[in-house]
Amino acid sequence: MKAYWYDNKPGDQREDHDSGRSVDTSYLTQLGVLYHHCPSVASVDTIAKDRSYKNRDEITVSPEKMGAVYEDKVKMFFNEHLHEDEEIRYILDGQGFFDVRSEGDEWVRIRLEKDDLIILPAGIYHRFTTDSNNYIKAMRLFKEEPKWTPLNRGPQVDDNPYRKEYVRTKGHPVAAH
């Protein structure tokens, strides 16, 4: 895992967009984003038990697996959104990026690769993309039945109770830069 401030320069979303300004995991924790290195599924199982994750599935995001809809799906995943439950991903193979909004509404880019596990809190604005290799395989973990319901950022979503709770509890940590 490598976290840094997104450079906001033009270019494909799958490029690194590394500003050269790193972000420490302690800052991610202030935002409510939890990171674990899990060299085995057994360590994922321990986290799942501790956090009451009952269900899981696997997703492969690649042109080979998704065919003609790949580019549209990657663009859809990159739309800024939130979820009303935690988003938990364990990377089984490949690499990709989760971008999360800071308290100052800037993007923090988090590069994940095999054996990385990330937990995004309910209510945090974020987006996802593969890297330039166009391949990632991940395990998705869920507290209840598997679902992935994005709520794209907008005035109505800003008033969402999960967003309001996130902002109340995590949305204003001490700035990291």
Side-chain angles (χ1 to χ4, degrees):
M1 188 278 293
K2 178 181 177 185
Y4 50 88
W5 295 99
Y6 187 84
D7 68 10
N8 290 309
K9 292 181 181 172
D12 191 288
Q13 69 196 38
R14 293 166 277 206
E15 294 174 6
D16 285 345
H17 289 281
D18 190 342
S19 66
R21 297 181 299 143
S22 64
V23 172
D24 191 80
T25 54
S26 64
Y27 181 69
L28 295 177
T29 301
Q30 288 179 25
L31 293 175
V33 176
L34 305 178
Y35 167 76
H36 300 274
H37 178 76
C38 298
S40 69
V41 174
S43 53
V44 175
D45 292 342
T46 300
I47 294 167
K49 183 179 177 190
D50 290 347
R51 297 184 71 85
S52 302
Y53 302 147
K54 299 176 192 141
N55 293 296
R56 61 183 71 183
D57 66 12
E58 292 181 8
I59 184 170
T60 301
V61 180
S62 72
E64 292 73 28
K65 282 287 187 184
M66 301 177 108
V69 301
Y70 172 75
E71 288 295 332
D72 289 337
K73 286 286 189 185
V74 168
K75 286 181 179 130
M76 180 188 75
F77 296 151
F78 202 64
N79 286 328
E80 184 175 2
H81 63 278
L82 62 78
H83 302 286
E84 293 183 337
D85 47 10
E86 290 182 337
E87 182 164 343
I88 309 96
R89 298 294 180 267
Y90 173 58
I91 309 305
L92 297 164
D93 197 18
Q95 297 179 72
F97 301 105
F98 274 93
D99 298 338
V100 298
R101 284 288 186 186
S102 72
E103 83 290 343
D105 216 26
E106 295 181 71
W107 287 115
V108 174
R109 176 152 274 198
I110 306 164
R111 171 184 272 282
L112 299 174
E113 58 189 21
K114 187 177 185 323
D115 298 336
D116 288 338
L117 183 141
I118 194 167
I119 302 169
L120 303 181
I124 191 172
Y125 282 121
H126 66 281
R127 60 190 184 186
F128 169 79
T129 189
T130 57
D131 69 2
S132 59
N133 292 315
N134 293 310
Y135 173 79
I136 194 166
K137 182 177 181 180
M139 178 187 296
R140 304 184 305 177
L141 294 98
F142 306 92
K143 289 192 176 190
E144 301 301 331
E145 289 303 310
K147 68 176 182 173
W148 188 84
T149 307
L151 301 175
N152 289 336
R153 188 171 186 175
Q156 289 179 329
V157 175
D158 286 342
D159 285 336
N160 177 287
Y162 291 89
R163 175 65 185 166
K164 285 184 170 184
E165 178 65 11
Y166 172 76
V167 170
R168 187 183 72 75
T169 60
K170 303 279 193 223
H172 299 286
V174 176
H177 46 143

